[in-house]
Amino acid sequence: MAYSYEELARGFVHTPVDLFGVYRTQLEANQVYSGHVDKPTSKCAIICALSGAAEFIFDGEERYRLEPGKILIGGAGRRLEIIVGDSGFQYNIVHYMPNTAEAVPGSLERNHDITLLEVTVDPELLRLQEQLLQAASVPDNMGMLAKKSLFYQYVAKLLQSERNRQNKDSYSVIDDALGHIHDRFMDSLTLAGLAERYQLKPKYFSYLFHKYTGTGPIDYLIHYRMNKAHEWLLTEQVSVSAVAKSVGYADSYYFSRLFKKYKGIAPSRVGHLHQKK
């Protein structure tokens, strides 16, 4: 079963990833590549089609036609045959494996599953691919750190492009709503008020917001406020009541209850724990 873009994003956040090779490969026209038919793939991959077309057949039955703008993610332990079209096929591939030894909810546990994405192959995406290719050859620790950083930027770019494609009729509205929440999180924002800003009914606005972000608008707002509060509490220069007011809560007791619910710790304890570390 394919992952959704939101599940993939959550998985890459919660699952450590080991990176392996990064390659750009050119396959000849009208050829069949069957190296993984008898020897299954050993790793997951991100395959980005750059030119031409090819059909990827997994386990003899699961078929994907790749052409520029199509991406495959996953596919560890699968038997693979590639049938190349008349104009050949060029693609970028990044091999990786999720480290699920300490799996938590939301981890990338289904390594054999394959997800097909459709993205815009724009200059930023091509730039990230080039930088990944260059960093992959550097053997020192700084080079490996750069490769891992670029990998996550690459994944975020791919998933954001898929998110925008699936929400093409609403993403400009929701993107603006996110900016509005980030700018005005300390104000008294409500679902009705946010929906009215875009001349939408609250239920429909909430549906569009959840489809885009994976969470409802008010829950997103609370998470954002709690993250901001946590940052300020770590400075140890402000009181809990002052932080509560700064993120939009006049009632510090109510704020404390929310903070403990979302962060698992009382706000008054944040500075103490930081100090002990």
Side-chain angles (χ1 to χ4, degrees), residues 22-24 46-50 71 91-94 119 121-135 150 154 158:
V22 181
Y23 310 102
R24 179 165 294 163
I46 298 177
I47 301 171
C48 175
L50 297 176
I71 308 285
Y91 63 98
N92 264 19
I93 183 166
V94 181
V119 306
V121 182
D122 59 17
E124 182 185 355
L125 183 65
L126 294 174
R127 176 183 59 81
L128 284 170
Q129 289 180 349
E130 289 295 334
Q131 290 178 323
L132 258 174
L133 282 166
Q134 293 173 16
L150 288 164
Y154 185 51
L158 295 176

Side-chain angles (χ1 to χ4, degrees), residues 12-66:
F12 279 111
V13 167
H14 291 291
T15 314
V17 171
D18 296 321
L19 296 183
F20 299 94
V22 181
Y23 310 102
R24 179 165 294 163
T25 303
Q26 178 73 48
L27 302 182
E28 295 182 11
N30 301 311
Q31 298 295 311
V32 177
Y33 292 82
S34 53
H36 283 299
V37 171
D38 296 322
K39 184 181 180 181
T41 58
S42 60
K43 299 176 179 66
C44 292
I46 298 177
I47 301 171
C48 175
L50 297 176
S51 65
E55 187 172 25
F56 282 58
I57 306 170
F58 292 90
D59 298 328
E61 56 184 23
E62 196 172 338
R63 295 171 177 261
Y64 300 91
R65 178 178 172 81
L66 289 192

Side-chain angles (χ1 to χ4, degrees), residues 129-168:
Q129 289 180 349
E130 289 295 334
Q131 290 178 323
L132 258 174
L133 282 166
Q134 293 173 16
S137 302
V138 179
D140 64 16
N141 288 325
M142 292 300 291
M144 289 186 284
L145 179 61
K147 182 170 73 169
K148 182 156 284 193
S149 172
L150 288 164
F151 173 79
Y152 284 113
Q153 291 178 58
Y154 185 51
V155 169
K157 171 68 176 173
L158 295 176
L159 297 182
Q160 182 65 51
S161 187
E162 175 69 11
R163 172 198 257 186
N164 291 348
R165 184 189 69 82
Q166 289 192 27
N167 298 276
K168 60 184 178 181

